[in-house]
Each structure stands twice: as C-alpha cells, then as structure tokens.
Amino acid sequence: MRRALAGVALAVTSMVALSFLIPLALLVQSEARSRATTEAEQRAAALAPVLALTTRPSDVQQAVSGLDPGNRLGVHLPDGDVIGAEHAPAHGLERAERDRETLALSTPSGRVYLQPVILPENRVAVVESFVPREDLDRGVALSWVVMSLLALGLVAGSVLVADRLGARVVRSSRSLSRASNALGAGDLEVRVDPAGPPELQEAGRAFNSMADRVVQLLAMERELVADLSHRLRTPLTALHLEAERMGSAPGAERLNAAVTNLETELDSIISAARTPLAVGPLGGAADERKEPGRVAAPAAGPEERSEVSEVVRGRVEFWSVLAAQQGRDCRLLATSEPTAVRLPHDDLAAVVDALIGNVFQHTAQGTAFTVRVERTAQAVVLAVDDAGPGIEDPDRALARGVSVGGSTGLGLDIAHRAARATRGAVRITHGPMGGAQVRVTLGLDAETKRGPARAALRARRAAHRSVQRG
C-alpha cells in the first residue's frame, strides 16, 4: 500500500508538472526571441530619421557606428552602396525594396529584420538589423534548467509526503494485523492503540471492543461449565453413599472406584474451567487459528510428557473389567520402545478413554476390540480396532459436535485436538477385524526422537574404534 501511494503521487504530480512545464518553457523561448527581435526593430527604426535627412555614405556610416557597435546593423542605399553589416539574402532585399514592406527572415546564423525607408524622388533605402541565433535563445536554457529543478522538487516532495502518509497507514494496518493474529493464536490480552487515519482508528477501537467481548464470553462459558460440573456433585454424592451402603456386595468395590474416579474428573473440570484463559496443549496457536471459537485448555508446562504405552496399559486394564462382564475379547499390543509425547497424562488418558468408550457405546455386547501402540521414527500410532459394523461416514464423524451414534460427538474431537497439539492426525478406516479402525498419530517428544539416533551414532563410533584397534 505504501508503494502504491507513492506511485500514484509520482504519476499525478509528474503529469501536473509536465502540463505546466512544457507550455511555460515554450513561452519563455518565445519571449526571449520577441525581446531580441524588438531590439533589432528599434535599432532599424532609429536610422530612418537619419536617412530622411541625408544619404551620404559618411554620414550614414557614422550613424550606423553609433547605433551598432556589434556589427549587426546595415543600410542598403538606393545607389547600391552597402554601409555596415550585410546578412540579408538577396531575394529578401529585392522583395522589401519592391513591395516596400517590413520583413523578418530566418537564416542559418540567426534572424534578419528588413525595414524599407522611402526617400525623396520615390527612392527606397533598406535598413537591415541582424540578430544572431545565440541572442535569440539567450537565457532560455537557464530558465529551462531552473523550471525543471523546481518540477523535480515538486515531484520529489509529493512522493515523500505520500510515502510518509502511506507509512503511517501501513504501520497502523500492520499493528492491527499483528493484534488480530495474536488474538487468533490465543493471546486474549492483546489490544491495539488506535492510530492512523480515522477509519483505521475506528477499526482499532472496534477490535478492542471485540477482544473484550470475546474474553467476557469465554469467561462466562467457562464459569457455566464449572457451575454445571458442580451441579453433578449432588447425584454423585448420592451414588457414592449408595455404593458404601452396598458394603461387601459383589461389584461394590468397582462401583466405589468408578465413583471416586468420576469425582476426580469433576474436580479437574472445575479447576480447569476456573483457571485463567490461555492456550493449552490440546490446540496450539497455529491450530486455534484454523478453528476459531474453541476454548483452549490451560497451557502445558515444558516438562509435561507421557509414555503412551504406559498410559494405554493402565486404561485398557481399567476397561478390561467391563469388557469381561460384557463378554468382549479385549487385546492389547503395545511396543516396548520409548513412546514419550508432549501431552499431560490426563489428556492422553482422555484420548484412550474416548476411543475405547466409543467401542462400548456404539457396538453390541460381545464385540471384540484390539488396542495397539506402534512406534515409528517420528511418531507413536495409537490404533483401536473393533469387530462392529464400522463407521459409514468417517469425515462426518471427525467433525466437532457431530455424532454418528447419538452421543455428544466430542469423543473423536478430543483425540483430534490431542493429535494436532503434537503435529499428528486422526484417521478412521475399515479395520482388519471387520469394523472401524481409529488411528491417532502422536508426534514423539524431541528427546525421544533423538534417542535412536544417538544410539546409532554410539554404535558407529564403537565399530570405528574396533576397526582402529584391529
């Protein structure tokens, strides 16, 4: 924009300057030639009274010498004598003498002014006044240079003013753009200082109002989540008392463990909802810009890592009790290699619970499922296969809030955000067991990725030392 404004100012000012400069330059040249011609006419007219009194060559020579020290004045007498300079062409002299009219002729060396003087006895003498070409254009070049410099100064000044104006506009626009990107990245405290033209100042004030409103809405939403979660404590307490009343009845211990786990989850939800707003691990700054409107979780610390295999084993062990009650064949195939990812333990456990919970919720009792943890060079793949009917529309199932089985539709979205936070992805395909296969790819932690490379480097160094000893 800054360059465009400078270009427009350059084009417009140049056209205006040229529209005045060219006619003015021609006018200056015309005025200089008119001045020189007028001086020549005046010199020629000064000889007319002398010729009217006498035509003696000595008297005329004296008059010419007094009027023209520069040898530019001449007199052609009726008897053919020429006194002074002679520059006029013959045909011009004959025409002036014959027609008795004043002439102005251009020659290669300048301009000649011829003035006939009628003498007694109907005789005609012709006075010629010569103007050299350098006198015709005297001062014109200097005037043109001065006018050109003034035009260039005008153009440069207009371009400079336009550039400063454009810089002010661009500076304000960039500030508003940076603030918008920061707000989209999750920085809810960013504001702009309205500056620049009135339109940009109004846009800056509107941005600040919008950011304040967004913070208010998010705070209200989080407080509502905390309140709704707190309202679950009453029925949960009643359930906990009922479990204690069962005493040592079959299943009472598992029911107590489930209720305790649910209370812990509710406490976590309430604490997370009432912490300050920030960008959390489940959706970094780059990803939050893609899906505006999502509330990010609290930011993860630099040391919050989890071993995928360890977390998956613990959650599969928890779900295996319910699987045994429903007659489901539950298998776990987990790699023994390091599988650390930069995700908190609770977030990773929520992903595993969401995937396994979908199997229990959307397949019939007795449907088998397998949980696999595989390691590649750069990522960990968590795959859950089931022998159910599968998912007809995988793309729709990955959309937030959309369910293909009548639930809230947030389970796969949890897995999707966790994968995105580690630069991974979620994919739903047809699995080898005949049903759906959900593959969650999680990017390995940097230290874990460097581990195999360091081991290979140590092996190469050891082999090199063995060769040198040999």
Side-chain angles (χ1 to χ4, degrees):
M1 184 177 182
R2 180 178 177 181
R3 187 175 301 173
L5 286 176
V8 170
L10 176 62
V12 172
T13 314
S14 298
M15 289 188 293
V16 173
L18 288 176
S19 65
F20 282 95
L21 183 62
I22 294 175
L24 190 60
L26 296 177
L27 179 61
V28 169
Q29 186 180 43
S30 176
E31 286 295 325
R33 292 184 177 183
S34 297
R35 183 183 66 251
T37 303
T38 300
E39 293 176 357
E41 292 176 355
Q42 291 174 351
R43 287 194 300 268
L47 281 177
V50 177
L51 293 175
L53 296 176
T54 179
T55 57
R56 285 192 305 174
S58 58
D59 296 335
V60 174
Q61 179 66 47
Q62 184 179 1
V64 169
S65 300
L67 292 173
D68 179 33
N71 196 27
R72 297 179 183 179
L73 193 63
V75 179
H76 297 267
L77 297 176
D79 56 4
D81 292 340
V82 179
I83 298 174
E86 185 177 3
H87 298 278
H91 66 87
L93 290 171
E94 292 175 0
R95 179 182 172 186
E97 184 178 356
R98 182 182 68 250
D99 298 338
R100 299 181 180 184
E101 65 177 354
T102 301
L103 299 177
L105 305 176
S106 295
T107 64
S109 57
R111 192 172 180 82
V112 179
Y113 176 76
L114 300 177
Q115 180 177 342
V117 180
I118 301 176
L119 303 177
E121 299 178 0
N122 202 25
R123 295 180 302 167
V124 177
V126 178
V127 180
E128 70 168 87
S129 182
F130 176 70
V131 181
R133 187 165 297 279
E134 56 271 15
D135 287 355
L136 290 174
D137 296 330
R138 179 177 296 159
V140 174
L142 179 61
S143 300
W144 285 3
V145 170
V146 173
M147 289 187 295
S148 299
L149 291 177
L150 289 176
L152 288 176
L154 176 63
V155 173
S158 65
V159 172
L160 180 61
V161 171
D163 180 73
R164 291 297 88 199
L165 177 61
R168 182 186 177 196
V169 174
V170 169
R171 191 182 305 113
S172 302
S173 301
R174 287 178 177 173
S175 175
L176 186 59
S177 175
R178 285 192 298 267
S180 301
N181 290 331
L183 180 64
D187 185 1
L188 300 178
E189 297 181 357
V190 64
R191 298 294 184 272
V192 297
D193 183 15
E199 293 79 4
L200 283 179
Q201 292 182 16
E202 181 63 25
R205 287 189 289 268
F207 172 84
N208 291 338
S209 300
M210 178 194 67
D212 293 338
R213 184 58 178 165
V214 167
V215 172
Q216 293 175 2
L217 292 176
L218 290 178
M220 292 171 58
E221 181 181 357
R222 292 166 67 87
E223 191 64 28
L224 179 61
V225 170
D227 292 343
L228 293 177
S229 301
H230 192 272
R231 289 171 60 182
L232 293 176
R233 287 187 176 277
T234 300
L236 187 61
T237 302
L239 185 60
H240 189 71
L241 293 175
E242 188 66 25
E244 290 180 352
R245 191 179 302 167
M246 293 174 61
S248 58
E253 184 178 352
R254 290 196 303 272
L255 181 58
N256 275 320
V259 171
T260 302
N261 186 43
L262 185 56
E263 287 180 339
T264 303
E265 292 296 330
L266 278 177
D267 291 339
S268 300
I269 293 174
I270 294 173
S271 299
R274 289 180 173 171
T275 52
L277 296 173
V279 178
L282 298 185
D287 298 316
E288 289 297 323
R289 289 195 296 269
K290 298 178 182 178
E291 300 184 35
R294 294 194 176 182
V295 181
E303 301 300 327
E304 289 186 287
R305 299 183 180 88
S306 302
E307 281 288 340
V308 178
S309 297
E310 179 182 344
V311 175
V312 171
R313 286 191 184 95
R315 300 317 299 164
V316 170
E317 182 179 355
F318 173 81
W319 286 96
S320 62
V321 178
L322 182 58
Q325 292 178 355
Q326 295 186 0
R328 298 177 183 269
D329 183 14
C330 173
R331 297 183 182 180
L332 172 63
L333 303 175
T335 179
S336 59
E337 298 182 71
T339 54
V341 295
R342 193 175 290 274
L343 277 177
H345 180 280
D346 292 342
D347 293 340
L348 186 55
V351 173
V352 181
D353 288 343
L355 298 182
I356 299 179
N358 281 341
V359 175
F360 281 86
Q361 185 172 3
H362 300 300
T363 61
Q365 295 190 16
T367 303
F369 67 93
T370 301
V371 181
R372 294 198 307 273
V373 180
E374 302 171 352
R375 156 108 184 235
T376 64
Q378 301 293 328
V380 180
V381 179
L382 169 61
V384 178
D385 300 292
D386 63 67
I391 299 176
E392 295 182 0
D393 192 351
D395 294 333
R396 184 169 177 267
L398 287 174
R400 178 178 174 84
V402 176
S403 174
V404 294
S407 62
T408 61
L410 299 180
L412 288 178
D413 183 71
I414 294 175
H416 193 189
R417 289 189 292 139
R420 194 170 60 245
T422 60
R423 301 184 183 276
V426 177
R427 190 176 62 164
I428 300 177
T429 59
H430 188 72
M433 299 180 67
Q437 180 187 74
V438 182
R439 295 175 60 87
V440 181
T441 303
L442 304 172
L444 281 171
D445 179 66
E447 291 295 331
T448 306
K449 286 191 289 187
R450 285 195 291 264
R454 291 176 177 174
L457 179 61
R458 286 194 297 268
R460 287 196 298 270
R461 289 177 177 174
H464 182 66
R465 286 194 296 268
S466 300
V467 172
Q468 287 180 338
R469 293 193 190 99

